Structures are given as C-alpha cells and as structure tokens.
Amino acid sequence: MPIRAGSDQGDVLAFALNAQQWQDLRTRHKAKALTLWMPCCNVPAVPKTSPRGTFFFAHACRGECTTADESPEHLYCKSLIAQAAMDAGWSVTSEWPGQSPEGEQWVADVYCEKGTAKLALEVQLSPQRDAETVRRQTRYRSSGVRGAWFFGARARQATMELDQQTPAFSLRSVVVGEEPMVEPFGVRLTEFVKAMLHKRLDWAIPLYNRPHLVEYIEDACWACKKPVKQVLEHVEGGSSPEDEALTAADFYEGRWDSPAYTVASISKRLEALHAVVSNDDLAAQGLNPVGRKDVIDGKPTRFPFCNMCLHCKAPQNNHFLS
C-alpha cells in the first residue's frame, strides 16, 4: 500500500496533503474527475484513510500485482519520514524505483533529493538480518544513493557491527497515531529526520570500558605462510567491585568446562565475537580479524564466520582450526 499514486495530472503524494486537500482528492476521484493508478503495477488506485488517520492508496482491483501489502505501522512511519524530509526542504517522493549499474532493481520507501544529494530512507519493521541490510545498502551506494535505516523493536537481527557506511537507528514500539521515539536519543522520529537532513548529526564511536578475554591459538596462514593468531572465542567481563583492572584469571574463575570446537560451533562463537568486538580492536592486539564468507571456492558454506588472515586477508578454514 503506497503513499504515492500516479495520475493524469502528475504524481499525487498522500503525505503532502492536509485533511481538506485529501477530502477534495477523494471527491474528485469519486466523481471521475481524476484518474489514479498504483506506481507498482499501474492498475487503478483508490485513495483511502486508515482507521488511525493515515492517508494511502490501495488497488481498485488486486489483479496480478505481487507487491506485498504494508502494515499500518509501516505506512505511518513512512508518512512521518516523508513529511519531515519535505519540511526540511528536500524534494521527496515515496516508493521510488531505481536500478544499480549491475542491473539490480530497488524501491526506496522514501526517496529524497537536494542538489546533487540523493538519499533513501528505509523503514524496516519486519525481521531482517544485518547481512541483508548491508547488501541492500551496497546496492544503493552503487546507484549513487546514500541510505539510512529505521528499525522497529526486535526487527534488526544483529549479526555484525553496522558502521557509518550503513547508518541504522532504532524506533521504540510503533503505535499508529503516536509518533515513535528514536532510541537511544529520546527524540521523536520527525525531529530526528529533520536534524539528520540539516546535518546536525555527528558520527561518533563510543568508548567502552568493558573488557573482553579473546582466546586464540598460534598458527600460520595457509596462503601467505606468515604467523597468525587464530581467534577461537571470547568471554565478556564486567567490572570488579573495586573497579580494578581485571586479569585473565578473573575471566576464567568459575568458567564452564572447555566446549567442543566443531566447525559449526566455531562459526557461531566467531559471529558472537564479531558482534561486540571490532576487527580494529582485534588487529591492535595482533589477532586475526573475523569475517563472513558465504561462498568459498565457489561453494556455499553453512557456517560462514571465520578468521581472516591479519596479513593477506585469506579466509582460514574452521575445519582445520577445530
């Protein structure tokens, strides 16, 4: 269900209309003084209002269109973002289709332009793994479009550390009619979008004092033959009662018995480590970074997380590591 429709008088943006303008549109459409069609499949469109007051367009007849329906919460957030971007002085449309130089097609929830700047703002309320977010973000980047993501509660399935190249923000539980807050900033969604588009956000890497014990074995890279420290797993530590520096013995005290290191378990342990310890921090200690390789030697792998050689970046085999 889009918030944009095509017409014989140009695109109609539901989020840009006030209540009176929307009623006038519905009256003209009912009187057949205005023809509307869906941007996804070009079939006739009908202007509608959700029970909580969100304006949108629906198929007059579904036909063979394969575009999935959107939840009322998704429509609501998309309308708020589009209106905020327009108020910030950007040219805005929704459900905007594009194509990367590689031929991959995409549709942006909210597409914004100002001068030479192009930006796609995405609302993601259904579960999505970080790898898929990065893939879609890479597709935008290759198309010359920057992207930013707004995830609903429990929608982001975090498996890696997203960075400045893939900005992602969290929304408190979305209720239609109650503007959600962007966490942990404590700012309403529309004000956050305006601040972002007015360049009032700064990217900063927070400092953490929580220590980690990373276990490794000394080895040699199969590709470049240089000595490496192959990461096995990690243990997080809290802080001591006296706020003193922790030692390795503090981590091991009361620890479980050593687990069985299988190909599957190593991948899962490396995935967990990768989510909380950056590769820069690992490299600073002379340890191999951790990466994800879904295909190795042309074959898909079921357990993709592995060590990457600190020197030549070659993926290290979890089978031999175990």
Side-chain angles (χ1 to χ4, degrees), residues 21-41:
Q21 291 169 330
W22 185 250
Q23 183 58 45
D24 291 343
L25 174 76
R26 298 186 68 175
T27 300
R28 293 168 58 206
H29 177 262
K30 189 174 182 179
K32 298 184 179 180
L34 178 67
T35 301
L36 299 172
W37 57 83
M38 300 290 280
C40 50
C41 56

Side-chain angles (χ1 to χ4, degrees), residues 28 31 37 85 158 173 175 180 198 208 248:
R28 293 168 58 206
W37 57 83
S173 297
V175 177
H198 283 306
Y208 295 99

Side-chain angles (χ1 to χ4, degrees), residues 4 9-10 19 21 47 60 78 81 83 105 117 120 164 176 183-184 190 219 221 234 260 268 271 312-313 318:
R4 175 174 68 91
Q9 299 175 17
Q21 291 169 330
K78 193 165 63 171
I81 291 172
Q83 181 65 58
Q105 295 184 340
Q164 191 174 4
V176 177
E183 301 294 352
T190 54
D219 197 7
C221 172
H234 84 294
K268 290 180 179 178
E271 180 178 9
C312 70
K313 308 305 180 185
N318 286 342

Side-chain angles (χ1 to χ4, degrees), residues 98-107 135-136 138-139 142-143:
Q99 181 172 295
S100 72
E102 294 76 24
E104 291 188 89
Q105 295 184 340
W106 49 262
V107 177
R135 185 190 72 81
R136 293 173 63 183
T138 301
R139 187 173 60 187
S142 68
S143 304

Side-chain angles (χ1 to χ4, degrees), residues 182-217:
V182 181
E183 301 294 352
F185 305 94
V187 177
R188 295 187 184 278
L189 176 57
T190 54
E191 293 305 312
F192 187 89
V193 171
K194 291 177 186 177
M196 181 171 63
L197 296 182
H198 283 306
K199 298 183 178 180
R200 296 206 303 265
L201 297 186
D202 290 324
W203 179 266
I205 299 176
L207 297 177
Y208 295 99
N209 292 320
R210 190 170 191 178
H212 294 262
L213 175 71
V214 178
E215 294 189 320
Y216 66 91
I217 61 173

Side-chain angles (χ1 to χ4, degrees), residues 13 23 32 167 231 317:
L13 306 176
Q23 183 58 45
K32 298 184 179 180
V231 175
N317 193 315

